[in-house]
Amino acid sequence: MTRAETVHDRIGTARNELTSAQLAVVFAFAAAAAFALLFVQEPLVHDSLHNFRHAAGVTWH
């Protein structure tokens, strides 16, 4: 049986393969998306951001 990849494994891979600038961009994008999803509660905007997040392959729940 093979071992499943975990989030911890993916973070370790990202640390090894991405530069500091690339990691900063990733964290900035994630922070902006989280801010928008939490504080922009206009239904159309919220739904479009939610759908974009799923289309981008980001699953937080």
Side-chain angles (χ1 to χ4, degrees):
M1 182 171 178
T2 60
R3 185 175 154 267
E5 184 179 43
T6 64
V7 172
H8 189 268
D9 295 333
R10 290 182 183 191
I11 291 171
T13 301
R15 281 186 185 149
N16 294 333
E17 294 183 4
L18 298 176
T19 66
S20 296
Q22 289 172 321
L23 287 173
V25 169
V26 168
F27 287 124
F29 177 76
F35 175 83
L37 284 171
L38 289 173
F39 295 108
V40 179
Q41 293 298 315
E42 180 66 33
L44 290 176
V45 175
H46 182 84
D47 289 345
S48 68
L49 287 169
H50 186 86
N51 292 336
F52 170 78
R53 181 175 58 86
H54 282 291
V58 179
T59 54
W60 294 335
H61 56 78

